[in-house]
Amino acid sequence: MPSKQELPILCRPTVALGLEGSANKLGVGIIRHFPRPASKSDARPPAQVLANIRHTYITPPGEGFLPRDTAKHHRSFVVKLVKDALKTSGLTPDDIDCVSFTQGPGMGAPLQSVAIAARTISMMWDKPLVGVNHCIGHIEMGREITGANNPVVLYVSGGNTQVIAYSHQRYRIFGETLDIAVGNCLDRFARTLQIPNDPSPGFNIELLAKKGKHYVELPYTVKGMDVSMSGILAYIDGVANDIFSGNPRYAEDGEIITNEDLCFSLQETIFAMLVEITERAMAHVGSQQVLIVGGVGCNERLQEMMGIMARDRGGAVYATDERFCIDNGIMIAHAGLLAYETGFRTSLKDSVCTQRFRTDEVFIAWRDD
């Protein structure tokens, strides 16, 4: 009987180890793909998530995470997480077909730390490397988990804000932020309010926003298909600083504006902007599906607002829970394995990381629809 290595890739299950570390979350995942049916009309069997381990670098309230310190965190925990992933999956290095890693975009030092770990594992285990675009990982994992066929994708995270749609083997960017990402806007306002970073500043803003009762009018900055959030942040920071200085702001009913009201107002404003540009993209490509990916995609209010818009258009919203929308290793394993199955490999000399790795730079060889 032929060994696993002797069988053609598309005739047997394949397994990938994925390492993610583009920001403050270090993730290691192991995924198994099953052979595609002989008929193109039949869907590929669902992928099997064998392990999805994550560890987050958390800083004190009011502080962000510096690249140097985040990289140190990743170096300290990556070996443990790889061992934990293997133990959880019940596999050994011999069972792994390829080692996938986030090649960009992201923070330079953390990316480099994880890339070094991936190169080391690749050489130790004698397995091919596959560099993965972080955004492509989010999109493909979202499609796999939700079953969304050909959606307009809203990618919202700490470092990225993009509206994307697939066409001719590329994920095309229809709109994006002109300055800071939505997650960065929320995180920085959390620092202004001294909101804890555990489990994440964006999640804690969401909890406060649910208690808000008064809407504070903020700048609304949509420019065509793009958005701008730096001015909104500067404005609401000014309002918060006025309140901290003993100069309260009042709502129309005479009540004092609270931190909860500010969080509510910030979410309502920037999420409305995102809904607007996503709806335009849906109209342009004729899609009835919206897939929300990225860490901010966990926000229930964003999902609710997007759902109202999509239902008005006769469509639907697809989103995942925190296991898959927050940065994780399984999405890198999945996207890497999709590329690996088409024959793609990343050589050592080409495995350098890049902080600026555009979504539309990647050729999507595994899709031909």
Side-chain angles (χ1 to χ4, degrees):
M1 182 175 180
S3 67
K4 172 184 171 183
Q5 286 72 22
E6 293 170 341
L7 289 173
I9 289 174
L10 297 182
C11 296
R12 61 172 174 81
T14 50
V15 178
L17 174 81
L19 282 76
E20 153 61 23
S22 60
N24 69 323
K25 292 170 181 63
L26 174 66
V28 177
I30 299 177
I31 199 165
R32 176 182 286 126
H33 286 182
F34 296 97
R36 293 179 181 275
S39 173
K40 286 189 175 182
S41 61
D42 295 331
R44 177 176 62 80
Q48 183 181 11
V49 175
L50 302 176
N52 188 17
I53 312 295
R54 184 168 53 211
H55 196 277
T56 303
Y57 174 55
I58 297 174
T59 56
E63 296 183 16
F65 47 91
L66 298 175
R68 177 190 60 197
D69 298 332
T70 308
K72 182 179 179 181
H73 165 269
H74 291 358
R75 291 194 300 269
S76 300
F77 283 92
V78 67
V79 173
K80 179 182 184 303
L81 263 62
V82 170
K83 289 181 178 179
D84 288 347
L86 287 173
K87 182 177 180 180
T88 299
S89 68
L91 302 182
T92 69
D94 290 340
D95 300 311
I96 305 296
D97 287 286
C98 67
V99 177
S100 308
F101 70 101
T102 303
Q103 200 162 8
M107 301 170 68
L111 280 172
Q112 187 66 17
S113 294
V114 172
I116 291 171
R119 293 186 201 116
T120 304
I121 293 170
S122 170
M123 291 186 288
M124 286 175 57
W125 295 355
D126 192 26
K127 305 294 181 180
L129 270 177
V130 179
V132 174
N133 178 287
H134 182 82
C135 175
I136 301 299
H138 274 297
I139 294 172
E140 292 300 350
M141 199 69 222
R143 290 181 63 232
E144 177 69 26
I145 295 299
T146 65
N149 180 27
N150 193 26
V152 168
V153 179
L154 176 64
Y155 172 33
V156 278
S157 67
N160 300 276
T161 300
Q162 296 175 345
V163 176
I164 302 160
Y166 173 82
S167 176
H168 296 89
Q169 295 190 292
R170 302 272 177 178
Y171 283 111
R172 315 285 177 172
I173 300 172
F174 280 71
E176 59 191 320
T177 179
L178 296 173
D179 38 54
I180 61 174
V182 58
N184 185 248
C185 179
L186 294 170
D187 290 352
R188 287 166 65 174
F189 187 58
R191 295 205 289 270
T192 298
L193 298 184
Q194 296 285 308
I195 293 174
N197 292 321
D198 188 9
S200 72
F203 177 73
N204 291 329
I205 278 188
E206 180 182 1
L207 294 180
L208 289 175
K210 291 179 179 180
K211 301 176 183 177
K213 297 184 296 182
H214 304 102
Y215 177 76
V216 178
E217 188 171 349
L218 302 174
Y220 186 94
T221 319
V222 174
K223 301 183 178 183
M225 282 297 296
D226 298 324
V227 295
S228 172
M229 281 171 275
S230 59
I232 299 171
L233 177 63
Y235 184 92
I236 198 168
D237 272 349
V239 174
N241 289 327
D242 283 347
I243 294 174
F244 295 156
S245 300
N247 299 311
R249 299 286 185 98
Y250 294 91
E252 291 183 356
D253 60 5
E255 290 192 12
I256 294 176
I257 296 297
T258 64
N259 287 349
E260 289 81 359
D261 295 330
L262 294 180
C263 292
F264 166 75
S265 303
L266 181 60
Q267 278 198 170
E268 293 296 300
T269 301
I270 60 179
F271 291 171
M273 292 160 52
L274 297 175
V275 169
E276 178 182 335
I277 62 173
T278 303
E279 182 174 19
R280 285 210 197 99
M282 291 178 70
H284 182 79
V285 304
S287 175
Q288 298 300 307
Q289 298 179 336
V290 179
L291 172 63
I292 307 177
V293 299
V296 183
C298 294
N299 189 291
E300 293 178 356
R301 178 55 179 160
L302 174 59
Q303 294 180 16
E304 179 185 18
M305 293 173 69
M306 197 67 70
I308 293 171
M309 178 274 290
R311 285 191 296 274
D312 285 346
R313 299 183 59 85
V317 169
Y318 297 80
T320 64
D321 60 33
E322 60 88 25
R323 293 173 299 167
F324 304 107
C325 65
I326 297 174
D327 290 351
N328 58 84
I330 200 68
M331 70 181 194
I332 303 303
H334 178 57
L337 197 49
L338 288 172
Y340 171 80
E341 290 166 347
T342 69
F344 180 81
R345 307 290 186 272
T346 302
S347 65
L348 279 177
K349 70 180 181 64
D350 293 329
S351 65
V352 295
C353 299
T354 173
Q355 292 181 260
R356 299 184 182 277
F357 190 0
R358 297 281 291 176
T359 308
D360 49 12
E361 291 179 29
V362 181
F363 180 72
I364 309 300
W366 54 90
R367 291 188 65 176
D368 55 7
D369 49 335

